[in-house]
Amino acid sequence: EDLGAIVAARPFGPVTTQLDWRALTDEDFERLLFLMIAEAPGYENPEWLQKTHAPDRGRDLSVTRVEQDSLGTVRRYRTILQCKHWLSRSVGPSDVAEARTQMELWQPPSVDALVIATTGRFTADAIQLVEHHNHSNRALSIAMWPDSHLERVLAARPHLIGQFRLRRIP
């Protein structure tokens, strides 16, 4: 029998499916991301910084990302997550530019990484702006977590999908 056909017929591991983000409130989305980073290996000291919809100047969650190499060198990166539970619009270049500027208000200590997490997507111009920014040798790196990224990460954490009663879209 064809091994590829057998493997395809019996998938294993986390399977990414589209989630119904409408099941979450804005606060639920922030809580979901908080729990996701709190249990993720390589992340420490997660904090939920302000109440949802507070004038937070772009800072919803904070976490320290830890990288350790095989010789024991450890680097810690102060990371800020901006949560955008947007169901009807994409993150555009002005949203990215505003978030990038807001990170300057939270220093010192310096912010090493900004994550913009959304239940939606990023526009082509926003993606281009982030890519240009990240290739310009600036200290702040920007990561984009669109719905597809979150769905892939959550596929390995079905307990969080169940806890928030996120339904899979058939």
Side-chain angles (χ1 to χ4, degrees), residues 22 30-31 102 157:
R22 295 172 299 180
E30 288 179 10
R31 186 174 309 281
Q102 289 169 334
R157 295 165 176 82

Side-chain angles (χ1 to χ4, degrees), residues 59-169:
R59 183 170 100 153
D60 298 315
L61 305 172
S62 166
V63 69
T64 302
R65 186 169 48 92
V66 182
E67 286 183 0
Q68 183 170 355
D69 68 25
S70 61
L71 299 177
T73 301
V74 177
R75 290 195 62 193
R76 286 181 165 73
Y77 300 91
R78 182 174 182 224
T79 303
I80 300 295
L81 282 83
Q82 189 174 76
C83 307
K84 298 189 175 298
H85 182 241
W86 291 356
L87 301 173
S88 60
R89 78 179 195 96
S90 296
V91 177
S94 62
D95 303 307
V96 172
E98 181 181 1
R100 179 177 61 186
T101 301
Q102 289 169 334
M103 291 307 101
E104 296 170 13
L105 302 173
W106 295 106
Q107 301 183 44
S110 65
V111 176
D112 301 303
L114 165 65
V115 174
I116 302 172
T118 180
T119 52
R121 306 261 169 93
F122 291 82
T123 66
D125 288 341
I127 293 167
Q128 183 176 15
L129 177 61
V130 169
E131 289 174 350
H132 177 75
H133 171 88
N134 286 340
H135 287 92
S136 66
N137 293 325
R138 297 184 187 199
L140 176 72
S141 70
I142 302 174
M144 298 173 285
W145 290 2
D147 60 346
S148 58
H149 173 81
L150 295 174
E151 288 164 352
R152 184 170 44 83
V153 170
L154 288 169
R157 295 165 176 82
H159 63 284
L160 290 177
I161 293 173
Q163 181 177 340
F164 286 88
R165 293 182 170 84
L166 277 168
R167 297 182 312 273
R168 291 179 170 88
I169 297 175

Side-chain angles (χ1 to χ4, degrees), residues 5-20:
I6 293 170
V7 171
R10 295 188 201 142
F12 60 91
V15 177
T16 303
T17 58
Q18 187 176 6
L19 299 174
D20 185 0

